[in-house]
Amino acid sequence: MKVTEHIIKANGKTQFSFEILPPLKGQHIQSIFDNIDPLMEFKPPFIDVTYHREEYVFKEMENGLLKKQVVKKRPGTVGICAAIQNKYAVDAIPHILCGGFSKEDTENFLIDLDFLGIDNVMALRGDAVKSETYFKPEKDGHAYANELVSQIENLNKGKYLDEELLNSSTTNFCIGVAAYPEKHMEAPSLDSDIHFLKKKIKNGASYVVTQMFFDNQKYFDFLSKCRAEGITVPIIPGLKPIATRKQLNLIPHRFHVDLPEDLIIAIVKCKDNKAVKQVGIEWCIEQSKELQKAGIPILHYYSMGRSDNIRTIASKLF
Ligand code: FAD
């Protein structure tokens, strides 16, 4: 079922959903199930599965020279989605990137998803490869998510890359896209970022999921700005409970979001990571309660491979 249909079906009740990462190459899929199992009692309408593009690693050869190798550390997005739909009978939402994909790769990926009975896709540009500063599209790939959205929407209309394919079957994907209440790191301004968000929606996206934020006011302000700009689709908040002291620096660095002063002070006072985790859980519960009270249709949690803290939070709310 489409995300938009899940929202209508819930009839105003706030629902719980979450995102998982494929395991590192070499790990068993059971590690994914072990994280999902404890969260199923909160009846998520869908589970997102992230996509991780290739990375470059340099391996030393016998002659001392370095050899550049392309590796994918977390493959398996599509397989995990299929496994989730089979095992839990819940909608799985694969993330799909511009990065690393030609248009032909994208089309073939979407055909696989369609054949697997996947109804939703999260369309993203992706970041630059780790060793590079700027995002570079593939030759014959997409430079921005709005172009990827157009390709998916074209397939929904039965328009394939090969225009000579006649009477081709249509797909029916519900398309999600990303947004950033605190602005995407590359955008010159929030207004500019919202302008391009509008373009993704105009091109066919039906819902939005936000980057994590720790101050609800930032989300509420962003929501008002988007509504004022005529964006009417659901804007699902992304939430992440802080779990370690290290994340105090890592999260702003990696996700380009600010942490509220009160949260920083509470974390700095903690004796160990067990205490930090508790602070993170309590903060996230308060954020979630306020969002729930505001009638937000879905709260989407970034599990990042662990479910114990998400479970504690969900048990207080859902
Ligand atoms: P875009 O919408 O293309 O925007 C990128 C930047 O370009 C923005 O600054 C925007 O303002 C600007 N822009 C957009 N269109 C144009 C245009 N036509 N001309 C000029 N400027 C433009 N990354 C992964 O690798 N895997 C994942 O699974 C993944 N999941 C994510 C899930 C969520 C909910 C979020 C919020 C992010 C996720 N990301 C993931 C990270 C994402 O790939 C990065 O944040 C990436 O840098 C931007 O992706 P986007 O889809 O928002 O890009």
Side-chain angles (χ1 to χ4, degrees), residues 4 7 179 190-191 194-195 197-198 201 205-210 218-237 294-298:
T4 45
I7 292 175
L190 189 58
D191 285 346
I194 291 176
H195 167 81
L197 174 62
K198 269 176 88 169
I201 292 155
S206 299
Y207 73 98
V208 172
V209 181
T210 77
K218 300 222 163 120
Y219 169 79
F220 289 129
D221 290 348
F222 180 71
L223 194 60
S224 304
K225 232 171 182 315
C226 289
R227 298 298 182 232
E229 284 297 319
I231 296 174
T232 55
V233 301
I235 301 183
I236 299 170
I296 305 302
I298 298 176

Side-chain angles (χ1 to χ4, degrees), residues 115-152:
F115 288 172
L116 284 169
I118 284 171
D119 294 332
N120 305 276
V121 282
M122 181 76 186
L124 301 142
R125 188 196 68 178
D127 286 320
V129 178
K130 272 198 182 126
S131 49
E132 293 175 351
T133 313
Y134 299 106
F135 174 83
K136 275 198 222 122
E138 285 304 291
K139 192 170 164 283
D140 194 29
H142 298 298
Y144 295 105
N146 62 63
E147 299 167 10
L148 172 59
V149 171
S150 290
Q151 186 179 359
I152 303 169

Side-chain angles (χ1 to χ4, degrees), residues 72-225:
K72 255 194 190 170
K73 292 188 178 165
R74 292 183 186 273
T77 301
V78 176
I80 292 168
C81 285
I84 288 174
Q85 298 212 147
N86 260 328
K87 184 170 161 69
Y88 301 100
V90 65
D91 282 304
I93 307 187
H95 291 193
I96 173 169
L97 305 181
C98 302
F101 281 72
S102 68
K103 289 178 192 155
E104 182 74 24
D105 296 334
T106 301
E107 185 168 278
N108 295 335
F109 190 89
L110 291 167
I111 289 170
D112 275 344
L113 301 183
D114 185 46
F115 288 172
L116 284 169
I118 284 171
D119 294 332
N120 305 276
V121 282
M122 181 76 186
L124 301 142
R125 188 196 68 178
D127 286 320
V129 178
K130 272 198 182 126
S131 49
E132 293 175 351
T133 313
Y134 299 106
F135 174 83
K136 275 198 222 122
E138 285 304 291
K139 192 170 164 283
D140 194 29
H142 298 298
Y144 295 105
N146 62 63
E147 299 167 10
L148 172 59
V149 171
S150 290
Q151 186 179 359
I152 303 169
E153 190 56 13
N154 276 339
L155 215 61
N156 280 346
K157 293 179 182 142
K159 206 170 149 199
Y160 289 69
L161 293 172
D162 178 355
E163 288 176 5
E164 285 175 19
L165 275 181
L166 296 175
N167 301 320
S168 35
S169 83
T170 56
T171 56
N172 191 16
F173 293 114
C174 173
I175 309 167
V177 290
Y180 306 82
E182 297 177 59
K183 185 181 91 59
H184 183 258
M185 60 175 171
E186 293 163 29
S189 70
L190 189 58
D191 285 346
S192 154
D193 214 13
I194 291 176
H195 167 81
F196 289 118
L197 174 62
K198 269 176 88 169
K199 201 161 175 184
K200 292 194 269 196
I201 292 155
K202 185 169 158 269
N203 289 1
S206 299
Y207 73 98
V208 172
V209 181
T210 77
Q211 181 59 280
M212 65 183 73
F213 55 88
F214 297 87
D215 175 356
N216 282 353
Q217 199 50 49
K218 300 222 163 120
Y219 169 79
F220 289 129
D221 290 348
F222 180 71
L223 194 60
S224 304
K225 232 171 182 315

Side-chain angles (χ1 to χ4, degrees), residues 284-295:
C284 195
I285 289 174
E286 288 314 307
Q287 273 194 281
S288 306
K289 278 185 178 164
E290 192 182 18
L291 292 164
Q292 199 176 38
K293 213 168 147 201

